[in-house]
Amino acid sequence: MIIRSADIMISAVRPEQYPPDELPEIALAGRSNVGKSSTINMLLNRKKLARTSASPGKTQTINFYDINHQFKFVDLPGYGYAKVSKSSKEQWGKMMEKYLTSRENLKDIFQLVDIRHAPTIQDKQMYAWIKEFGFNGIVIATKLDKIKRSERQKKISTIRKELDMKSDDILICVSAQTKDGKEELWEVIEEIFKVNGFVFE
Ligand code: GTP
Ligand code: MG
């Protein structure tokens, strides 16, 4: 994919702020700090477009990014940050549900998990939810640079097993640091748009 432009459209808190949905979009879900914003930056060759932070809970809004005026990436707020209050957790749930049920042009949601750790209960719930909504159930295992190559297969097996992934469900390992997995991920993204009738050059 040639990136000609990549811009933040809006950090939305309320559905009225969501941009019009005539362009197709793909959203990234996962716990706080898993690397959602970093993965978006990696895909777009941008260091700071999507804001990243060493302190979890940074992205509390739904951030829409316009790419080439052709499609959007959506950075969803992370879950699972222990210090977040009960009312923010409720707000998170409402926000996610509204988003997931109101976007006509949402073509897929990727579930991100940290390759080093077994999926949490919330990861399992999120993934089950994604599947229930009828999305593909593509998993992105992040921070590949943090493990030894010899550990990779075992980590992948754990993630597949814990999330109850089917053998043909796609799992892609990426590293925002080394850019491993970037091309493979783009191929999957392009294929999703293609099967939905969107071909970008
Ligand atoms: P929230 O916005 O809080 O939900 O977090 P997020 O999922 O957007 O995570 P973010 O991209 O902000 O990354 C969190 C931290 O992990 C940052 O310090 C990143 O630099 C780091 N990080 C993300 N991806 C990678 C990676 O592939 N390798 C390494 N080594 N660090 C990474
Ligand atoms: Mg983020």
Side-chain angles (χ1 to χ4, degrees):
M1 179 71 68
I2 299 163
I3 310 302
R4 291 187 213 86
S5 68
D7 303 288
I8 175 115
M9 301 174 84
I10 192 161
S11 282
V13 186
R14 297 184 303 277
E16 308 85 77
Q17 299 173 313
Y18 298 167
D21 68 353
E22 56 273 338
L23 299 179
E25 66 200 29
I26 289 179
L28 284 78
R31 69 176 179 75
S32 271
N33 217 38
V34 69
K36 296 175 295 296
S37 303
S38 302
T39 300
I40 289 177
N41 287 334
M42 171 189 76
L43 285 166
L44 301 173
N45 309 315
R46 298 282 286 269
K47 282 208 175 74
K48 289 184 182 149
L49 180 67
R51 288 186 53 199
T52 63
S53 168
S55 54
K58 188 87 198 168
T59 316
Q60 295 283 12
T61 49
I62 299 184
N63 295 342
F64 293 82
Y65 296 93
D66 174 281
I67 322 303
N68 294 346
H69 308 301
Q70 289 175 317
F71 60 91
K72 297 185 243 74
F73 284 141
V74 183
D75 195 354
L76 294 172
Y79 51 78
Y81 181 47
K83 286 186 190 156
V84 165
S85 67
K86 199 175 162 221
S87 67
S88 327
K89 279 180 194 163
E90 279 166 13
Q91 204 195 343
W92 178 89
K94 278 187 201 148
M95 214 159 114
M96 290 291 280
E97 190 160 357
K98 271 193 192 131
Y99 171 73
L100 292 175
T101 53
S102 70
R103 297 301 281 179
E104 200 48 38
N105 267 359
L106 175 60
K107 298 307 175 194
D108 214 344
I109 308 175
F110 297 158
Q111 169 76 45
L112 275 70
V113 292
D114 187 322
I115 194 154
R116 295 172 294 175
H117 312 303
T120 63
I121 290 167
Q122 283 168 309
D123 288 331
K124 292 181 197 184
Q125 285 170 345
M126 187 74 222
Y127 189 68
W129 206 17
I130 288 172
K131 284 259 171 153
E132 255 171 57
F133 269 94
F135 295 106
N136 288 310
I138 292 164
V139 173
I140 302 177
T142 63
K143 310 196 185 185
L144 183 61
D145 58 284
K146 298 247 193 192
I147 61 162
K148 294 194 199 106
R149 182 171 273 274
S150 58
E151 296 176 302
R152 197 180 292 186
Q153 273 322 312
K154 196 165 171 246
K155 299 288 187 194
I156 291 172
S157 304
T158 304
I159 293 167
R160 283 192 164 277
K161 182 165 162 278
E162 293 295 316
L163 291 180
D164 198 19
M165 294 176 70
K166 306 285 168 275
S167 56
D168 59 350
D169 285 337
I170 296 172
L171 182 148
I172 301 171
C173 300
V174 302
S175 164
Q177 197 150 302
T178 63
K179 313 235 183 304
D180 266 323
K182 182 178 150 185
E183 294 312 317
E184 195 186 342
L185 184 50
W186 268 123
E187 276 170 32
V188 168
I189 292 167
E190 285 171 24
E191 184 61 24
I192 292 164
F193 287 135
K194 196 170 145 197
V195 301
N196 282 286
F198 298 92
V199 180
F200 309 120
E201 101 240 62

